[in-house]
């Protein structure tokens, strides 16, 4: 044991405290590094799982919303075509009525009404 520390030499409390502090620090560092590595691994696994679940939930919600919108729009899908048919059927009559009202011959104002102006 010539290479090891001299175990017969007296040690002060300060030296003992310093050695204990170094030894405890090394143990804590070793335990914490293992704990951190395990925690990181668990976190990565759980986060990946959570992200996958959230992605699936968002995709399901999006599909549900799009399906609902599609169902709400379906009854009105043919509306432009139906309006076009109604316009084609009723438009000539409506235009004739409108033209008759707008371009109707006006009554001539009496001469006395023209003089007042």
């Amino acid at each position: 044991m010539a290479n090891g520390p001299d175990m017969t030499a007296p040690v002060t409390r300060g030296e003992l405290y310093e050695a204990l502090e170094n030894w405890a620090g090394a143990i804590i560092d070793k335990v914490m590094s293992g704990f951190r590595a395990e925690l990181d691994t668990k976190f990565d696994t759980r986060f990946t799982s959570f992200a996958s679940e959230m992605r699936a939930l968002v995709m399901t919600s999006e599909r549900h919303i799009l399906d609902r919108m599609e169902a709400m729009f379906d009854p009105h899908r043919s509306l432009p075509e139906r309006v076009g048919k109604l316009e084609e059927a009723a438009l000539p009559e409506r235009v004739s009525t409108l033209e008759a009202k707008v371009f109707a011959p006006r009554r001539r104002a009496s001469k006395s009404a023209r003089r007042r102006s």
Side-chain angles (χ1 to χ4, degrees):
M1 274 211 193
N3 295 343
D6 182 13
M7 299 302 280
T8 59
V11 179
T12 64
R13 285 186 190 173
E15 291 173 332
L16 186 59
Y17 183 75
E18 186 180 329
L20 185 61
E21 197 174 66
N22 289 338
W23 179 75
I27 290 175
I28 289 172
D29 287 344
K30 193 172 197 179
V31 168
M32 289 303 289
S33 67
F35 178 71
R36 283 189 183 126
E38 184 179 340
L39 187 62
D40 285 347
T41 302
K42 283 184 179 181
F43 178 78
D44 288 345
T45 303
R46 289 184 180 171
F47 182 76
T48 302
S49 173
F50 174 74
S52 299
E53 290 174 16
M54 286 303 295
R55 187 178 300 113
L57 181 62
V58 167
M59 296 296 281
T60 302
S61 297
E62 179 184 18
R63 184 74 255 155
H64 178 71
I65 290 169
L66 289 174
D67 289 346
R68 292 282 306 244
M69 289 173 62
E70 192 71 26
M72 291 172 67
F73 182 69
D74 271 346
H76 309 291
R77 192 174 298 280
S78 64
L79 186 63
E81 182 182 322
R82 291 186 307 186
V83 168
K85 286 180 182 177
L86 287 174
E87 287 292 322
E88 288 173 8
L91 191 60
E93 181 183 331
R94 290 177 62 203
V95 168
S96 299
T97 305
L98 185 61
E99 285 176 342
K101 286 182 181 178
V102 171
F103 301 114
R106 294 187 180 161
R107 289 168 131 199
R108 295 187 133 205
S110 66
K111 289 183 181 179
S112 61
R114 278 190 258 166
R115 287 183 195 155
R116 289 183 210 157
S117 323

